[in-house]
Amino acid sequence: SELLGVPNDILERELTIRSFMAQGKLMETPLTAEAAQSLALSLGMDMYAKLFSWFVERINQTIVKHSREVGSTNAWVGILDIFGFEVFPVNLIEQLLINYANERLQSYFVQQEFRRVLAEHD
């Protein structure tokens, strides 16, 4: 809660109680432990995605600024995040497919990067 700038009690309340309007009245109902855990996980994933995007953007801004200073125009960084948030009690076909897709993406990314670097040096 400290990193979010939200007091502990408010964050706890937001993650454990569902608030909604019904007939003009504010209604509240406690979330089940499973629903609260799912909500907390979703918040964590969203925060991770936003932080990851911010991080890549900041790196690219710095690289572009430096590139312009040295006269280059084609500099950037790309980060392929293939780790993911898959959480399965038992690994079934879904996990196999996710892992396979991740491996294919990584392989494609590496091949493209090697081609780009080779083209620069030819």
Side-chain angles (χ1 to χ4, degrees):
S1 73
E2 184 180 330
L3 292 175
L4 293 173
V6 178
N8 284 340
D9 58 331
I10 293 175
L11 182 59
E12 181 180 343
R13 180 177 173 74
E14 292 299 317
L15 291 174
T16 59
I17 296 176
R18 179 175 166 246
S19 301
F20 57 96
M21 295 294 289
Q23 298 179 349
K25 294 182 181 178
L26 178 63
M27 307 295 288
E28 296 180 338
T29 183
L31 295 174
T32 64
E34 183 178 299
Q37 184 178 19
S38 178
L39 181 59
L41 181 59
S42 295
L43 175 63
M45 288 190 298
D46 188 57
M47 289 170 52
Y48 172 83
K50 285 180 173 44
L51 181 60
F52 186 84
S53 295
W54 176 85
F55 182 69
V56 172
E57 182 62 29
R58 292 287 298 182
I59 290 171
N60 281 328
Q61 287 172 356
T62 302
I63 289 172
V64 167
K65 181 181 175 192
H66 177 73
S67 296
R68 288 182 182 148
E69 290 171 359
V70 298
S72 176
T73 59
N74 193 20
W76 56 275
V77 66
I79 299 175
L80 178 62
D81 174 22
I82 62 168
F83 184 70
F85 284 95
E86 302 83 25
V87 178
F88 298 111
V90 176
N91 286 329
L92 299 173
I93 188 71
E94 293 89 351
Q95 186 66 43
L96 174 67
L97 294 174
I98 289 167
N99 290 343
Y100 178 74
N102 285 343
E103 291 297 324
R104 294 293 306 225
L105 279 171
Q106 183 178 18
S107 175
Y108 176 79
F109 178 77
V110 169
Q111 288 175 3
Q112 294 303 312
E113 188 60 20
F114 279 133
R115 287 183 185 137
R116 185 188 65 77
V117 170
L118 287 173
E120 280 182 8
H121 296 287
D122 283 343

